[in-house]
Amino acid sequence: MKAGVVKETAPGERRVALVPDAVAKLGAAGIEVLVERGAGDGAWLSDSAYADAGATIVSTAEVYRDADVILTVTKPTSDAARMLRPGQAVIGMLAPLVYPELAAALAAGGVTAISLDRLPRTLTRTQPMDALSSQANVAGYKAAVVAAAEFGRFFPLLITAAGTARPAKVLVLGAGVAGLQAIGTARRLGAVVSGYDVRPASKTEVESLGATFIELTAGISAAGEGGYARELTAEERQAQQDELVGHIARHDVVITTAQVPGRRPPLLVTEDAIKAMAAGSVIVDMGASALGGNAAGSRPGETVVTGNGITIIGADNLPATMPTAASNAYSRNISTLLDYLTSDGALTIDTSDEVQAGVVITHDGRVVNEDVAPLLAAPPEPAGPEPEGDADVDGPAH
């Protein structure tokens, strides 16, 4: 079997699906690796490094023509999707809940689509394949670093001959993998850190990192199955927003991490909360998306400064800004999944398998994933619906 690594073309995307270190490991499993010329350039991985590891460097046309499985980070563009042939497979973070029409197109083209972002994450054996967690780990780290770089004062307590600088007060909303990494990084930078999550069980994890866990007097608990957050009711959302205003106002930096796949992210930092913050405060909104963000007025990929001097950073793809670290982690995830799906040197699809039932989106000309198929049968929802829940961007920590 031949696996082809393609060059990412999405704006600002610098990651690559496979790094040279993984080439030999896949070779031992009977998988030959083809790498599109320049695929690793954004992550500072040269074609020669891949060639030295045993990969074959090919053109764009050749990788789509000769590979049995295409390995990608993000979903293929419409042009790339048209290059895929019947019987071929594509593995990546395809976001089928957001782009179900892509799944339909791939099914119609006879392509097997396998999406890492639908991995059943509560199974122990899937942890080495968990790309959402590995990329969220990178994103959480970078969110704290971005906040520190943007903040106009020091993060740590500094006592110098020129005076004493008090430590920054940082609040992280969401205590999944990204949130916990943001908490840990902000703590290592010397800030005084607090964390909040709708799942009360997160308190222990937040406090284990030396941060203070914020407990709302409204007593909202949104613990759901498998450690994930359930949807909040409209009354619970309003109570949460109202009480968070006071906590947010007391902090210099707020990092938000909440998303609901395919729907508008929950609004955690309202206009009232932003108005109550001190000038010079910073918000890093990791939930920023085309449908909205966790902070009022945030825009994905943009930095906005409000009239009262609050900087809002729409941090929609932080892993791409750390391409080498993110690619190394993602490469381990995708190569582990590919090895899991491979038997005797060939891709073996069995949707009765618990892992495959989650990640296999299309096969044999059909959309087979039970979460994606209903989206194609139902009429599309209007853009930008009201927030329907509060789920951390990366789920529970492993």
Side-chain angles (χ1 to χ4, degrees):
M1 183 173 70
K2 295 181 179 180
V5 180
V6 297
K7 184 176 177 65
E8 302 296 322
T9 59
E13 185 56 71
R14 296 174 57 196
R15 291 172 290 178
V16 63
L18 205 70
V19 301
D21 285 348
V23 173
K25 295 176 182 178
L26 290 179
I31 301 171
E32 180 183 346
V33 178
L34 310 178
V35 177
E36 181 181 351
R37 193 168 288 111
D41 288 352
W44 309 109
L45 299 169
S46 66
D47 289 345
S48 61
Y50 283 102
D52 290 345
T56 302
I57 310 302
V58 297
S59 67
T60 303
E62 289 172 320
V63 74
Y64 282 97
R65 183 194 69 198
D66 297 338
D68 302 296
V69 181
I70 297 295
L71 305 181
T72 181
V73 177
T74 60
K75 68 180 183 66
T77 63
S78 56
D79 288 340
R82 283 191 289 269
M83 297 177 70
L84 295 166
R85 65 176 188 276
Q88 203 168 34
V90 58
I91 305 178
M93 291 192 289
L94 309 181
L97 297 184
V98 182
Y99 305 102
E101 69 281 357
L102 173 62
L106 294 175
V111 176
T112 295
I114 299 167
S115 192
L116 277 83
D117 47 11
R118 299 305 303 155
L119 190 78
R121 302 171 70 198
T122 55
L123 301 177
T124 301
R125 67 180 182 278
T126 65
Q127 291 182 15
M129 314 172 196
D130 189 354
L132 284 181
S133 287
S134 77
Q135 301 307 288
N137 200 41
V138 176
Y141 167 85
K142 191 59 181 285
V145 173
V146 166
E150 191 66 35
F151 187 50
R153 301 201 309 271
F154 296 110
F155 259 37
L157 168 69
L158 289 182
I159 302 175
T160 72
T164 298
R166 67 172 180 81
K169 296 180 180 179
V170 176
L171 172 61
V172 178
L173 301 177
V177 177
L180 292 173
Q181 181 59 256
I183 288 171
T185 302
R187 283 275 298 151
R188 288 189 289 272
L189 290 172
V192 175
V193 185
S194 299
Y196 166 74
D197 197 284
V198 291
R199 299 163 296 178
S202 300
K203 178 179 180 179
T204 302
E205 294 173 310
V206 169
E207 292 180 341
S208 72
L209 294 172
T212 300
F213 187 79
I214 290 177
E215 297 183 75
L216 303 187
T217 58
I220 299 170
S221 173
E225 295 181 2
Y228 293 88
R230 66 165 175 82
E231 295 183 359
L232 296 180
T233 66
E235 292 76 15
E236 287 173 330
R237 284 198 300 271
Q238 188 62 54
Q240 178 193 61
Q241 291 169 357
D242 291 345
E243 193 166 347
L244 281 176
V245 168
H247 292 289
I248 290 168
R250 291 191 287 273
H251 289 82
D252 305 303
V253 172
V254 177
I255 298 173
T256 68
T257 71
Q259 286 184 351
V260 181
R263 292 179 287 179
R264 183 176 177 177
L267 183 64
L268 302 176
V269 185
T270 62
E271 289 185 7
D272 288 342
I274 293 171
K275 289 176 182 177
M277 297 177 76
S281 298
V282 175
I283 299 169
V284 179
D285 184 0
M286 294 174 63
S289 74
L291 294 177
N294 300 147
S298 75
R299 296 197 290 264
E302 297 184 31
T303 297
V304 177
V305 180
T306 67
N308 63 323
I310 311 304
T311 299
I312 305 174
I313 301 169
D316 59 334
N317 190 11
L318 288 174
T321 67
M322 291 188 62
T324 306
S327 296
N328 278 323
Y330 185 78
S331 176
R332 288 190 288 273
N333 301 143
I334 199 168
S335 58
T336 303
L337 176 60
L338 181 58
D339 184 59
Y340 181 85
L341 298 172
T342 301
S343 178
D344 296 326
L347 199 66
T348 303
I349 301 300
D350 176 11
T351 54
S352 66
D353 174 80
E354 192 173 10
V355 175
Q356 294 203 35
V359 299
V360 177
I361 309 302
T362 69
H363 185 58
D364 284 341
R366 297 184 301 112
V367 176
V368 297
N369 185 274
E370 63 180 17
D371 294 324
V372 179
L375 300 178
L376 296 166
E381 292 186 6
E386 289 301 309
E388 297 184 21
D390 190 317
D392 194 81
V393 65
D394 47 358
H398 290 307

